[in-house]
Amino acid sequence: MYKNSLIAHFDASQTAIGVIFSIAIVMLGLSAAVADTWVEANGPHKATSWTPRAGRGR
């Protein structure tokens, strides 16, 4: 979908763009696996406690 515009913008080959997409998908999957394991061990409250809270003054 965006491949042709990325190729034109970065003056890259289709192979280079494909490799970048592949790396991005692998990293997404690995981070999801790690995060899921961490949430299972610590609970959802701990997983969301690090997010910034708007208007709390912290």
Side-chain angles (χ1 to χ4, degrees), residues 1-49:
M1 184 156 85
Y2 298 105
K3 201 173 205 181
N4 292 332
S5 60
L6 289 171
I7 290 169
H9 181 75
F10 292 108
D11 193 30
S13 68
Q14 282 188 337
T15 303
I17 299 297
V19 168
I20 295 300
F21 274 114
S22 297
I23 290 171
I25 294 300
V26 167
M27 295 306 292
L28 180 66
L30 290 173
S31 66
V34 169
D36 181 55
T37 303
W38 192 81
V39 169
E40 289 293 325
N42 295 300
H45 181 69
K46 288 249 185 192
T48 58
S49 65

